[in-house]
Amino acid sequence: MAENKKTRSIGLKIAMFGDVNQNGGMPEVMKQLAKTLKGTASFNTEANQTQDFYSEEEPEVPEETVVTEAGLKQIKLNFMEWDNDVLVTVFGGTTVTEDVTINGVTYSVEKYKAPKSTVQVEKAVRVISRYGVVIDVPRAKIVARFIWNLTNTDIAQIEVTATAQAPIGENDGPYEIYRLGEPKAKETVDENKAD
């Protein structure tokens, strides 16, 4: 009798982001925004918060335990590079082209301008491990922050936390995990065949 191969997962192959699909499910178009600093990528599920109810007759063990709040499900990673499109994607805001004068020298620059008010960023997130294990989050709240130590031994980073939200699609989970196998064979059309 053949034994099913269990799933194992190590490392990160790619992290991709896309617009939330308003019809549910994952979007067809997703892209890698930036490279991830080694040792910073993770997927964590927090334990649910529970309330125990005890009886006077059996005070040592609960008679009933109910979940009062579901634990957060989060993908975290730190970008080690960016461009203005990445900044707008994870922080909101805009870009403008302006002339800037520093020490008497004028430069024409494309400048990122952070939003003046709080911005809610939602994206679909997909991470794929080196072992072909995929974690899909159809709808995630994105919170980003700079970790920018101005030293010669540190690289500036953008810490991105993607927290799973209630999915839009009726059949979607807040997150979904699966292992990639062999790709399906593409269907070929016989051009010589008459309709």
Side-chain angles (χ1 to χ4, degrees), residues 15-40:
M16 297 183 290
F17 295 76
D19 293 331
V20 173
N21 185 346
Q22 296 306 312
N23 297 317
M26 294 296 287
E28 288 187 25
V29 177
M30 301 188 79
K31 66 178 184 176
Q32 181 181 29
L33 296 179
K35 289 188 177 177
T36 303
L37 184 66
K38 183 179 179 180
T40 66

Side-chain angles (χ1 to χ4, degrees), residues 128-139:
I128 304 175
S129 79
R130 294 190 180 277
Y131 279 31
V133 177
V134 181
I135 304 166
D136 282 345
V137 179
R139 180 174 164 246

